[in-house]
Amino acid sequence: MRNAPTILHLDMDAFYASAEQASKPSLRGKAVVVGGLGPRGVVATASYEARVFGVRSAMPMAQARRLAPNAAYLVPRFGFYRAISEQVMGLLHLLSPLVEPLSLDEAFVDLETDGAAWDRASARLVGEKLRADIRAVTGLTGSVGLAASKMLAKIASEEAKPDGLVLIEPGTERAMLGPMPVRILPGVGPATGDHLRRAGITTVDDLAEAGEDELVRLLGKAHGHGLYAMALARDDRPVVAERETKSVSVEDTYDVDIHDRVRVGLEVQRLADRCVGRLRSAGLSGRTIVLKVRRYDFSTLTRSETLRGPTDDPGVVREAALRLLEAVDTTGGVRLLGVGVSGLADFTQEDLFAQAAEAEAEAGAVVGGGVGVEYSDVEVEVGEGDAEAVEEQVIVAAERRWPSGHDVRHAEFGHGWVQGSGLGRVTVRFETPGSEPGRVRTFRVDDLELEPADPLPLVSGGGGGGAGVSVDGVRT
């Protein structure tokens, strides 16, 4: 453990929802829920205004609609969020070369590495300046935690939400942690929390008092030792700039169970191609192909096959995934499919290219597309019918689908965003990040003057464009 609070944890506040509020003036200060809008969609992020009604991340969207029927429900724009994340991560890299991203909106920073901070006062100044810089560059707010370890810095940033800063003084960790619930510690999820509660352990103080031997008996050797150390505020994990990727995978959840075996095969091929696309963009290849199938009754099956050497060839991955599918009973319907590659390397086995060519020649390697559906927290395309019909449907769907919350431009009225669509109509609110709340107009879905558009910057000329999130100040 360090003797100065020089590990910083940044967590952007309700990131996706705040980004949507910042880009849409009419939604600022209102309940906003971002996620999949289909029957099986889940909440990706809820604004603080929506959380007042009990809406939370990972909640089924149907439950969120019951809790907050008047909230704005939007389909995620991951390219937009990624662009903002790159701006934020750029600010973090100005502080230190040791930045450990955990997601698009969360990261650890080691402030000691380049001397950005060395004591309590300098760490606080860095944290306050970072929050101001994030607001100036992105128009959004982030919460900052400062402590002598990663675990404590993350706990501090959670305590700082929203838009605050909490610094934990070295030497005060045990007193601060003691009365907190055990769920505050990393690795204590609902199941472990319930198990500990049944043993009469509900706070971090209870963990410390139970002793290491008792925790090992309750939770097993590795988990028991680790949890006892955390209860005593011991955490020597370093900030790691680059994490080794162990696997690459993609999966889709479908609004309606897939019963047609041919269509399931087409979906598996499409997922294999998406997975390989991610592999190649990361400059990786892999030896083990993994197929995941969740059936109509929620039973989940995972099958894998290890190749002779690493590959990034779509034909090889498709062929292996289809072989794995042959051993899975899909009778009754499939609600989720996934394809992954593990055993990663930064090279490929050349003799596998010939294998891929043979496979494509024999199978024809048809890749499915289809009509768009919404799922979970992203959008997917579902294959349907033969290849030619599917391709035609993809083109039509891509031209005429108007996802809620996405940007559009009209030849006469300018930039706006989709409030909703259906029954051959699409409703658009015309406003920009720097404008007043705009007017709403309705068009036919095939109106040739209306077209998809790229998101506009949240901040122009170094100015505002805030996300409508309250300021909680700086606390210690």
Side-chain angles (χ1 to χ4, degrees):
M1 290 278 291
R2 304 182 180 195
N3 56 14
T6 52
I7 292 181
L8 180 150
H9 181 260
L10 170 71
D11 196 352
M12 299 295 289
D13 299 322
F15 182 47
Y16 299 167
S18 293
E20 296 296 348
Q21 289 176 316
S23 69
K24 302 172 172 64
S26 58
L27 296 185
R28 294 173 191 167
K30 298 181 180 178
V32 174
V33 181
V34 180
L37 305 189
R40 293 175 180 167
V42 298
V43 175
T45 306
S47 69
Y48 288 100
E49 295 86 353
R51 295 180 192 187
V52 171
F53 298 99
V55 180
R56 295 290 184 270
S57 297
M59 174 182 288
M61 189 61 76
Q63 182 181 356
R65 288 185 184 276
R66 289 193 295 271
L67 293 171
N70 296 320
Y73 289 86
L74 307 177
V75 175
R77 299 185 291 165
F78 287 108
F80 176 52
Y81 309 145
R82 191 171 295 110
I84 300 172
S85 174
E86 289 173 357
Q87 291 179 304
V88 173
M89 296 301 166
L91 292 173
L92 298 183
H93 280 285
L94 293 176
L95 301 177
S96 170
L98 281 183
V99 176
E100 182 178 342
L102 303 180
S103 61
L104 289 179
D105 62 336
E106 186 179 2
F108 288 109
V109 184
D110 188 333
L111 299 179
E112 276 189 358
T113 305
D114 271 10
W118 54 91
D119 60 9
R120 176 185 184 277
S122 59
R124 177 186 292 282
L125 286 174
V126 169
E128 291 174 342
K129 183 177 185 302
L130 174 64
R131 292 175 54 235
D133 288 345
I134 289 172
R135 184 186 287 274
V137 171
T138 70
L140 305 181
T141 63
S143 295
V144 169
L146 292 159
S149 70
K150 290 170 70 173
M151 177 188 76
L152 292 166
K154 185 172 174 64
I155 290 173
S157 70
E158 188 63 30
E159 291 294 298
K161 285 187 167 293
D163 191 22
L165 182 150
V166 167
L167 183 150
I168 299 175
E169 292 274 10
T172 68
E173 298 93 346
R174 289 285 303 278
M176 183 220 45
L177 281 177
M180 290 186 169
V182 293
R183 288 291 302 276
I184 198 73
L185 298 179
V188 181
T192 301
D194 286 344
H195 189 49
L196 291 171
R197 180 181 52 78
R198 288 193 294 271
I201 299 173
T202 59
T203 68
V204 178
D205 268 343
D206 293 339
L207 280 173
E209 292 172 6
E212 191 168 16
D213 292 341
E214 176 65 8
L215 293 180
V216 168
R217 186 187 69 80
L218 287 171
L219 304 173
K221 188 174 182 180
H223 201 182
H225 285 312
L227 203 53
Y228 182 69
M230 286 188 288
L232 300 180
R234 298 173 185 166
D235 178 21
D236 294 322
R237 294 173 299 157
V239 176
V240 181
E242 292 186 9
R243 291 181 165 189
E244 181 181 358
T245 303
K246 296 183 178 180
S247 64
V248 173
S249 63
V250 297
E251 61 182 44
D252 287 351
T253 301
Y254 305 100
D255 285 347
V256 179
D257 291 344
I258 303 176
H259 294 82
D260 184 356
R261 182 78 178 187
V262 173
R263 182 173 164 189
V264 172
L266 289 173
E267 281 298 291
V268 167
Q269 292 182 73
R270 184 181 60 79
L271 289 166
D273 282 352
R274 280 176 54 195
C275 184
V276 169
R278 293 191 179 183
L279 271 179
R280 288 183 168 180
S281 66
L284 297 171
S285 60
R287 296 183 66 233
T288 301
I289 314 303
V290 181
L291 175 70
K292 177 179 177 181
V293 180
R294 180 167 296 150
R295 298 186 291 191
Y296 70 98
D297 58 357
F298 287 90
S299 62
T300 302
L301 304 176
T302 303
R303 300 289 184 266
S304 64
E305 174 182 323
T306 300
L307 306 173
R308 292 174 294 173
T311 183
D312 65 351
D313 189 282
V316 174
V317 178
R318 284 198 301 264
E319 181 187 14
L322 289 173
R323 282 197 301 270
L324 295 169
L325 179 63
E326 291 174 1
V328 177
D329 180 13
T330 59
T331 303
V334 171
R335 61 183 292 121
L336 177 147
L337 290 168
V339 173
V341 177
S342 60
L344 302 181
D346 56 2
F347 65 93
T348 59
Q349 187 81 13
E350 290 186 357
D351 63 346
L352 289 177
F353 289 118
Q355 177 184 340
E358 292 173 5
E360 292 206 18
E362 291 175 3
V366 177
V367 180
V371 295
V373 300
E374 294 152 355
Y375 82 100
S376 169
D377 57 351
V378 294
E379 294 179 74
V380 302
E381 291 179 345
V382 177
E384 201 170 86
D386 59 65
E388 292 182 3
V390 165
E391 290 178 5
E392 183 178 351
Q393 289 172 343
V394 172
I395 294 170
V396 173
E399 289 176 349
R400 295 299 93 193
R401 280 195 75 239
W402 304 104
S404 297
H406 283 223
D407 295 85
V408 294
R409 177 169 293 280
H410 190 273
E412 180 181 352
F413 302 108
H415 192 94
W417 57 278
V418 176
Q419 280 201 324
S421 63
L423 302 177
R425 297 287 187 270
V426 54
T427 301
V428 178
R429 184 180 288 273
F430 290 97
E431 59 186 8
T432 64
S435 74
E436 295 295 321
R439 296 186 61 183
V440 175
R441 297 181 182 275
T442 300
F443 308 90
R444 291 174 55 92
V445 294
D446 57 358
D447 190 321
L448 296 180
E449 293 190 313
L450 188 68
E451 60 182 7
D454 292 329
L456 297 176
L458 297 183
V459 175
S460 60
V469 180
S470 62
V471 177
D472 208 9
V474 178
R475 302 180 307 213
T476 58

